[in-house]
Amino acid sequence: MSTPQPTADAVSAAAMLSLRWTTRIISELDDNGPIPRRAAQATFPDIPEDSLQHGMRSLRQRGLLQVRGRRDDDSPLGLTEAGRDLGDVYEALSRWARRHDYPAPQTGFVTRVEATLVLLRDRSTVNLLRSPSTTPNGYGARRALHAGLISTSPDGRYVLTAAGEGLRQALAVLTDWAAAHPQVVVAAASRRPGRPTTELHRIAGPALPLAQASSTHTPRLPR
């Protein structure tokens, strides 16, 4: 297996995890355990049936979801070890977003996690968090400034704000997850990118539109 590259692996992990419905499905299964395949639509009534089937198939291909036992309608759908371990990642991302009102003061758990993952799927943002002395490119600097991650010191240098320091800690949790499950990250990076989460991938700063499904799910993870 190739030597892990922390920045590249974290960016790849964030890109994979920010695909649409990923947070919603994994959080539900993490909260309540496996469900029979025939109960999937009743469990996720807010997700269109074709989108749900596509999302679950994609999660299985990415090594986050598995079918246990017989492959019939009663076979339980559950998380793999990599999927279960995302609980710590989601908790860290959600806590950071809530503490810093990102992407807005009143948002649900799913939106907070997704919006933070969108920040971390940007390589320039991750590089900046890892090495604050690095001068980001024009877009990277604007994005980081708009998100409140950096400020300008009296001598004109960029420095991390409290929000930036906090996101760096959340990034470390994501990086640890990627290092613990390299086969999942490598496999996902080699696949054709899927559909991003709602419209979050197109927005740089805090004023992000709310994901419709965010208010429908209240997970047990600590806030």
Side-chain angles (χ1 to χ4, degrees):
M1 183 175 294
S2 59
T3 302
Q5 302 295 324
T7 295
D9 289 352
V11 170
S12 295
M16 172 186 67
L17 296 174
S18 65
L19 298 183
R20 195 171 194 183
W21 306 122
T22 296
T23 306
R24 172 76 176 90
I25 294 172
I26 289 180
S27 296
E28 180 71 37
L29 295 177
D30 186 53
D31 288 351
N32 300 307
I35 59 171
R37 295 178 68 182
R38 56 181 166 75
Q41 192 59 57
T43 303
F44 302 100
D46 53 308
I47 305 179
E49 184 175 0
D50 58 341
S51 297
L52 178 60
Q53 295 304 317
H54 174 77
M56 288 190 161
R57 182 168 58 252
S58 177
L59 286 171
R60 293 198 301 271
Q61 292 171 344
R62 284 181 268 159
L64 299 174
L65 185 66
Q66 62 185 348
V67 179
R68 301 176 181 178
R70 305 183 311 276
R71 292 182 175 272
D72 55 30
D73 287 346
D74 289 323
S75 298
L77 288 164
L79 299 177
T80 63
E81 180 182 1
R84 292 191 298 271
D85 286 349
L86 282 173
D88 290 339
V89 177
Y90 285 170
E91 179 183 343
L93 299 179
S94 178
R95 282 181 172 175
W96 175 83
R98 185 177 184 185
R99 183 172 295 119
H100 298 285
D101 291 335
Y102 192 86
Q106 299 297 324
T107 54
F109 174 83
V110 172
T111 294
R112 292 198 297 266
V113 171
E114 289 179 344
T116 308
L117 285 168
V118 170
L119 276 178
L120 296 178
R121 65 187 287 168
D122 180 70
R123 186 179 299 273
S124 64
T125 300
V126 172
N127 284 335
L128 181 62
L129 293 173
R130 291 194 184 283
S131 180
S133 61
T134 300
T135 301
N137 59 36
Y139 174 78
R142 289 196 302 273
R143 183 184 181 90
L145 284 166
H146 194 40
L149 303 178
I150 59 174
S151 61
T152 306
S153 66
D155 61 0
R157 295 183 299 107
Y158 289 123
V159 295
L160 289 182
T161 61
E165 292 286 358
L167 187 56
R168 180 160 64 172
Q169 296 174 18
L171 170 63
V173 178
L174 175 64
T175 302
D176 288 345
W177 178 85
H181 304 286
Q183 72 285 357
V184 174
V185 177
V186 170
S190 65
R191 297 181 61 84
R192 182 179 178 181
R195 186 179 183 184
T197 172
T198 61
E199 299 296 316
L200 295 172
H201 65 296
R202 295 163 53 182
I203 309 297
L208 300 176
L210 304 184
Q212 293 181 350
S214 301
S215 61
T216 64
H217 180 57
T218 306
R220 62 171 169 74
L221 295 177
R223 299 296 194 271

